[in-house]
PDB file of all heavy atoms in Angstrom:
ATOM      1  N   THR A   1       0.576   8.910   0.425  1.00 52.00           N
ATOM      2  CA  THR A   1       1.841   8.183   0.453  1.00 52.00           C
ATOM      3  C   THR A   1       1.570   6.711   0.197  1.00 52.00           C
ATOM      4  O   THR A   1       0.428   6.229   0.356  1.00 52.00           O
ATOM      5  CB  THR A   1       2.534   8.351   1.809  1.00 52.00           C
ATOM      6  OG1 THR A   1       1.692   7.857   2.823  1.00 52.00           O
ATOM      7  CG2 THR A   1       2.848   9.837   2.064  1.00 52.00           C
ATOM      8  N   GLN A   2       2.581   6.097  -0.154  1.00 52.00           N
ATOM      9  CA  GLN A   2       2.468   4.649  -0.410  1.00 52.00           C
ATOM     10  C   GLN A   2       3.261   3.871   0.607  1.00 52.00           C
ATOM     11  O   GLN A   2       4.375   4.257   0.946  1.00 52.00           O
ATOM     12  CB  GLN A   2       2.972   4.317  -1.821  1.00 52.00           C
ATOM     13  CG  GLN A   2       2.066   4.872  -2.912  1.00 52.00           C
ATOM     14  CD  GLN A   2       2.566   4.468  -4.283  1.00 52.00           C
ATOM     15  OE1 GLN A   2       3.725   4.083  -4.448  1.00 52.00           O
ATOM     16  NE2 GLN A   2       1.680   4.526  -5.266  1.00 52.00           N
ATOM     17  N   GLU A   3       2.681   2.783   1.089  1.00 52.00           N
ATOM     18  CA  GLU A   3       3.335   1.901   2.039  1.00 52.00           C
ATOM     19  C   GLU A   3       3.455   0.510   1.438  1.00 52.00           C
ATOM     20  O   GLU A   3       2.535   0.033   0.744  1.00 52.00           O
ATOM     21  CB  GLU A   3       2.545   1.818   3.338  1.00 52.00           C
ATOM     22  CG  GLU A   3       2.502   3.134   4.082  1.00 52.00           C
ATOM     23  CD  GLU A   3       1.747   2.988   5.390  1.00 52.00           C
ATOM     24  OE1 GLU A   3       1.231   1.881   5.633  1.00 52.00           O
ATOM     25  OE2 GLU A   3       1.705   3.988   6.151  1.00 52.00           O
ATOM     26  N   ALA A   4       4.549  -0.089   1.673  1.00 50.00           N
ATOM     27  CA  ALA A   4       4.767  -1.469   1.163  1.00 50.00           C
ATOM     28  C   ALA A   4       4.027  -2.467   2.030  1.00 50.00           C
ATOM     29  O   ALA A   4       4.147  -2.459   3.256  1.00 50.00           O
ATOM     30  CB  ALA A   4       6.259  -1.791   1.135  1.00 50.00           C
ATOM     31  N   VAL A   5       3.243  -3.335   1.379  1.00 52.00           N
ATOM     32  CA  VAL A   5       2.498  -4.381   2.104  1.00 52.00           C
ATOM     33  C   VAL A   5       3.036  -5.747   1.649  1.00 52.00           C
ATOM     34  O   VAL A   5       3.060  -6.015   0.428  1.00 52.00           O
ATOM     35  CB  VAL A   5       0.990  -4.281   1.814  1.00 52.00           C
ATOM     36  CG1 VAL A   5       0.224  -5.394   2.530  1.00 52.00           C
ATOM     37  CG2 VAL A   5       0.500  -2.908   2.223  1.00 52.00           C
ATOM     38  N   PRO A   6       3.473  -6.539   2.523  1.00 56.00           N
ATOM     39  CA  PRO A   6       4.029  -7.848   2.125  1.00 56.00           C
ATOM     40  C   PRO A   6       2.960  -8.722   1.486  1.00 56.00           C
ATOM     41  O   PRO A   6       1.813  -8.746   1.947  1.00 56.00           O
ATOM     42  CB  PRO A   6       4.564  -8.441   3.435  1.00 56.00           C
ATOM     43  CG  PRO A   6       3.808  -7.714   4.495  1.00 56.00           C
ATOM     44  CD  PRO A   6       3.482  -6.365   3.971  1.00 56.00           C
ATOM     45  N   LYS A   7       3.329  -9.381   0.441  1.00 53.00           N
ATOM     46  CA  LYS A   7       2.389 -10.283  -0.251  1.00 53.00           C
ATOM     47  C   LYS A   7       2.504 -11.693   0.327  1.00 53.00           C
ATOM     48  O   LYS A   7       3.371 -11.986   1.129  1.00 53.00           O
ATOM     49  CB  LYS A   7       2.713 -10.300  -1.744  1.00 53.00           C
ATOM     50  CG  LYS A   7       2.504  -8.935  -2.395  1.00 53.00           C
ATOM     51  CD  LYS A   7       2.770  -8.982  -3.881  1.00 53.00           C
ATOM     52  CE  LYS A   7       1.717  -9.866  -4.550  1.00 53.00           C
ATOM     53  NZ  LYS A   7       1.874  -9.900  -6.036  1.00 53.00           N
ATOM     54  N   SER A   8       1.622 -12.501  -0.101  1.00 54.00           N
ATOM     55  CA  SER A   8       1.607 -13.896   0.362  1.00 54.00           C
ATOM     56  C   SER A   8       2.833 -14.633  -0.148  1.00 54.00           C
ATOM     57  O   SER A   8       3.416 -14.235  -1.141  1.00 54.00           O
ATOM     58  CB  SER A   8       0.338 -14.593  -0.116  1.00 54.00           C
ATOM     59  OG  SER A   8       0.271 -14.559  -1.531  1.00 54.00           O
ATOM     60  N   PRO A   9       3.197 -15.747   0.514  1.00 55.00           N
ATOM     61  CA  PRO A   9       4.397 -16.483   0.092  1.00 55.00           C
ATOM     62  C   PRO A   9       4.258 -16.932  -1.348  1.00 55.00           C
ATOM     63  O   PRO A   9       3.184 -17.285  -1.806  1.00 55.00           O
ATOM     64  CB  PRO A   9       4.477 -17.668   1.057  1.00 55.00           C
ATOM     65  CG  PRO A   9       3.709 -17.204   2.243  1.00 55.00           C
ATOM     66  CD  PRO A   9       2.625 -16.317   1.756  1.00 55.00           C
ATOM     67  N   GLY A  10       5.347 -16.919  -2.030  1.00 53.00           N
ATOM     68  CA  GLY A  10       5.403 -17.328  -3.420  1.00 53.00           C
ATOM     69  C   GLY A  10       5.398 -16.175  -4.388  1.00 53.00           C
ATOM     70  O   GLY A  10       5.541 -16.376  -5.581  1.00 53.00           O
ATOM     71  N   THR A  11       5.221 -14.985  -3.874  1.00 53.00           N
ATOM     72  CA  THR A  11       5.253 -13.804  -4.744  1.00 53.00           C
ATOM     73  C   THR A  11       6.566 -13.115  -4.573  1.00 53.00           C
ATOM     74  O   THR A  11       7.118 -13.066  -3.465  1.00 53.00           O
ATOM     75  CB  THR A  11       4.100 -12.851  -4.416  1.00 53.00           C
ATOM     76  OG1 THR A  11       4.231 -12.435  -3.084  1.00 53.00           O
ATOM     77  CG2 THR A  11       2.768 -13.517  -4.641  1.00 53.00           C
ATOM     78  N   SER A  12       7.078 -12.524  -5.627  1.00 54.00           N
ATOM     79  CA  SER A  12       8.399 -11.911  -5.580  1.00 54.00           C
ATOM     80  C   SER A  12       8.360 -10.405  -5.472  1.00 54.00           C
ATOM     81  O   SER A  12       9.330  -9.779  -5.104  1.00 54.00           O
ATOM     82  CB  SER A  12       9.197 -12.297  -6.843  1.00 54.00           C
ATOM     83  OG  SER A  12       8.505 -11.855  -8.007  1.00 54.00           O
ATOM     84  N   GLU A  13       7.305  -9.751  -5.795  1.00 53.00           N
ATOM     85  CA  GLU A  13       7.243  -8.291  -5.780  1.00 53.00           C
ATOM     86  C   GLU A  13       6.318  -7.807  -4.682  1.00 53.00           C
ATOM     87  O   GLU A  13       5.235  -8.365  -4.484  1.00 53.00           O
ATOM     88  CB  GLU A  13       6.740  -7.744  -7.112  1.00 53.00           C
ATOM     89  CG  GLU A  13       7.671  -8.026  -8.257  1.00 53.00           C
ATOM     90  CD  GLU A  13       7.114  -7.477  -9.570  1.00 53.00           C
ATOM     91  OE1 GLU A  13       6.005  -6.910  -9.505  1.00 53.00           O
ATOM     92  OE2 GLU A  13       7.799  -7.569 -10.597  1.00 53.00           O
ATOM     93  N   PRO A  14       6.736  -6.831  -3.922  1.00 54.00           N
ATOM     94  CA  PRO A  14       5.844  -6.285  -2.880  1.00 54.00           C
ATOM     95  C   PRO A  14       4.744  -5.468  -3.535  1.00 54.00           C
ATOM     96  O   PRO A  14       4.919  -4.919  -4.607  1.00 54.00           O
ATOM     97  CB  PRO A  14       6.771  -5.409  -2.027  1.00 54.00           C
ATOM     98  CG  PRO A  14       7.843  -4.990  -2.960  1.00 54.00           C
ATOM     99  CD  PRO A  14       8.022  -6.148  -3.912  1.00 54.00           C
ATOM    100  N   SER A  15       3.630  -5.482  -2.884  1.00 52.00           N
ATOM    101  CA  SER A  15       2.516  -4.653  -3.363  1.00 52.00           C
ATOM    102  C   SER A  15       2.432  -3.397  -2.531  1.00 52.00           C
ATOM    103  O   SER A  15       2.829  -3.367  -1.376  1.00 52.00           O
ATOM    104  CB  SER A  15       1.205  -5.458  -3.273  1.00 52.00           C
ATOM    105  OG  SER A  15       0.926  -5.778  -1.925  1.00 52.00           O
ATOM    106  N   TYR A  16       1.901  -2.381  -3.099  1.00 49.00           N
ATOM    107  CA  TYR A  16       1.813  -1.073  -2.425  1.00 49.00           C
ATOM    108  C   TYR A  16       0.356  -0.699  -2.265  1.00 49.00           C
ATOM    109  O   TYR A  16      -0.448  -0.893  -3.173  1.00 49.00           O
ATOM    110  CB  TYR A  16       2.534  -0.013  -3.255  1.00 49.00           C
ATOM    111  CG  TYR A  16       4.018  -0.233  -3.338  1.00 49.00           C
ATOM    112  CD1 TYR A  16       4.547  -1.026  -4.356  1.00 49.00           C
ATOM    113  CD2 TYR A  16       4.875   0.327  -2.406  1.00 49.00           C
ATOM    114  CE1 TYR A  16       5.901  -1.237  -4.444  1.00 49.00           C
ATOM    115  CE2 TYR A  16       6.237   0.102  -2.494  1.00 49.00           C
ATOM    116  CZ  TYR A  16       6.741  -0.661  -3.513  1.00 49.00           C
ATOM    117  OH  TYR A  16       8.094  -0.869  -3.582  1.00 49.00           O
ATOM    118  N   THR A  17       0.063  -0.208  -1.151  1.00 51.00           N
ATOM    119  CA  THR A  17      -1.301   0.270  -0.888  1.00 51.00           C
ATOM    120  C   THR A  17      -1.264   1.756  -0.655  1.00 51.00           C
ATOM    121  O   THR A  17      -0.310   2.306  -0.118  1.00 51.00           O
ATOM    122  CB  THR A  17      -1.913  -0.430   0.329  1.00 51.00           C
ATOM    123  OG1 THR A  17      -3.241   0.050   0.486  1.00 51.00           O
ATOM    124  CG2 THR A  17      -1.121  -0.124   1.610  1.00 51.00           C
ATOM    125  N   SER A  18      -2.290   2.364  -1.040  1.00 49.00           N
ATOM    126  CA  SER A  18      -2.366   3.818  -0.910  1.00 49.00           C
ATOM    127  C   SER A  18      -2.902   4.191   0.449  1.00 49.00           C
ATOM    128  O   SER A  18      -3.938   3.659   0.874  1.00 49.00           O
ATOM    129  CB  SER A  18      -3.260   4.388  -2.013  1.00 49.00           C
ATOM    130  OG  SER A  18      -3.406   5.763  -1.839  1.00 49.00           O
ATOM    131  N   VAL A  19      -2.195   5.117   1.105  1.00 50.00           N
ATOM    132  CA  VAL A  19      -2.614   5.586   2.436  1.00 50.00           C
ATOM    133  C   VAL A  19      -2.826   7.082   2.367  1.00 50.00           C
ATOM    134  O   VAL A  19      -1.929   7.825   1.940  1.00 50.00           O
ATOM    135  CB  VAL A  19      -1.564   5.258   3.507  1.00 50.00           C
ATOM    136  CG1 VAL A  19      -2.017   5.785   4.860  1.00 50.00           C
ATOM    137  CG2 VAL A  19      -1.338   3.768   3.561  1.00 50.00           C
ATOM    138  N   ASN A  20      -3.950   7.459   2.759  1.00 51.00           N
ATOM    139  CA  ASN A  20      -4.277   8.900   2.743  1.00 51.00           C
ATOM    140  C   ASN A  20      -3.953   9.494   4.096  1.00 51.00           C
ATOM    141  O   ASN A  20      -4.543   9.120   5.101  1.00 51.00           O
ATOM    142  CB  ASN A  20      -5.758   9.062   2.421  1.00 51.00           C
ATOM    143  CG  ASN A  20      -6.117  10.518   2.177  1.00 51.00           C
ATOM    144  OD1 ASN A  20      -5.256  11.378   2.309  1.00 51.00           O
ATOM    145  ND2 ASN A  20      -7.363  10.757   1.825  1.00 51.00           N
ATOM    146  N   ARG A  21      -2.952  10.432   4.123  1.00 51.00           N
ATOM    147  CA  ARG A  21      -2.536  11.073   5.382  1.00 51.00           C
ATOM    148  C   ARG A  21      -3.400  12.270   5.718  1.00 51.00           C
ATOM    149  O   ARG A  21      -3.384  12.738   6.829  1.00 51.00           O
ATOM    150  CB  ARG A  21      -1.086  11.527   5.264  1.00 51.00           C
ATOM    151  CG  ARG A  21      -0.100  10.383   5.048  1.00 51.00           C
ATOM    152  CD  ARG A  21      -0.064   9.436   6.184  1.00 51.00           C
ATOM    153  NE  ARG A  21       0.935   8.410   5.988  1.00 51.00           N
ATOM    154  CZ  ARG A  21       1.120   7.414   6.856  1.00 51.00           C
ATOM    155  NH1 ARG A  21       0.354   7.306   7.935  1.00 51.00           N
ATOM    156  NH2 ARG A  21       2.042   6.490   6.625  1.00 51.00           N
ATOM    157  N   GLY A  22      -4.035  12.761   4.720  1.00 50.00           N
ATOM    158  CA  GLY A  22      -4.843  13.955   4.981  1.00 50.00           C
ATOM    159  C   GLY A  22      -6.284  13.572   5.218  1.00 50.00           C
ATOM    160  O   GLY A  22      -6.637  12.418   5.441  1.00 50.00           O
ATOM    161  N   PRO A  23      -7.158  14.528   5.120  1.00 53.00           N
ATOM    162  CA  PRO A  23      -8.589  14.269   5.303  1.00 53.00           C
ATOM    163  C   PRO A  23      -9.075  13.305   4.242  1.00 53.00           C
ATOM    164  O   PRO A  23      -8.742  13.415   3.067  1.00 53.00           O
ATOM    165  CB  PRO A  23      -9.219  15.649   5.155  1.00 53.00           C
ATOM    166  CG  PRO A  23      -8.111  16.594   5.465  1.00 53.00           C
ATOM    167  CD  PRO A  23      -6.881  15.932   4.952  1.00 53.00           C
ATOM    168  N   ALA A  24      -9.873  12.357   4.621  1.00 50.00           N
ATOM    169  CA  ALA A  24     -10.357  11.335   3.690  1.00 50.00           C
ATOM    170  C   ALA A  24     -11.417  11.899   2.785  1.00 50.00           C
ATOM    171  O   ALA A  24     -12.225  12.739   3.192  1.00 50.00           O
ATOM    172  CB  ALA A  24     -10.931  10.132   4.459  1.00 50.00           C
ATOM    173  N   LEU A  25     -11.432  11.451   1.542  1.00 49.00           N
ATOM    174  CA  LEU A  25     -12.456  11.850   0.593  1.00 49.00           C
ATOM    175  C   LEU A  25     -13.576  10.821   0.611  1.00 49.00           C
ATOM    176  O   LEU A  25     -13.372   9.629   0.892  1.00 49.00           O
ATOM    177  CB  LEU A  25     -11.853  11.967  -0.812  1.00 49.00           C
ATOM    178  CG  LEU A  25     -10.745  13.016  -0.961  1.00 49.00           C
ATOM    179  CD1 LEU A  25     -10.189  12.986  -2.389  1.00 49.00           C
ATOM    180  CD2 LEU A  25     -11.274  14.387  -0.611  1.00 49.00           C
ATOM    181  N   ASP A  26     -14.757  11.188   0.283  1.00 55.00           N
ATOM    182  CA  ASP A  26     -15.927  10.287   0.348  1.00 55.00           C
ATOM    183  C   ASP A  26     -15.776   9.132  -0.623  1.00 55.00           C
ATOM    184  O   ASP A  26     -16.036   7.967  -0.297  1.00 55.00           O
ATOM    185  CB  ASP A  26     -17.193  11.055   0.056  1.00 55.00           C
ATOM    186  CG  ASP A  26     -17.498  12.065   1.152  1.00 55.00           C
ATOM    187  OD1 ASP A  26     -16.953  11.889   2.275  1.00 55.00           O
ATOM    188  OD2 ASP A  26     -18.250  13.014   0.876  1.00 55.00           O
TER     189      ASP A  26
END
């Protein structure tokens, strides 16, 4: 799933980080 991560001030678009809900891969 993807979660929205707020960017530093001065940026207009949110960045998305990938979150693994299942078992992690190496």
Side-chain angles (χ1 to χ4, degrees):
T1 60
Q2 292 183 342
E3 295 182 357
V5 178
K7 296 182 66 177
S8 59
T11 60
S12 59
E13 295 179 359
S15 63
Y16 294 89
T17 182
S18 176
V19 179
N20 189 357
R21 297 297 183 182
L25 298 177
D26 293 340

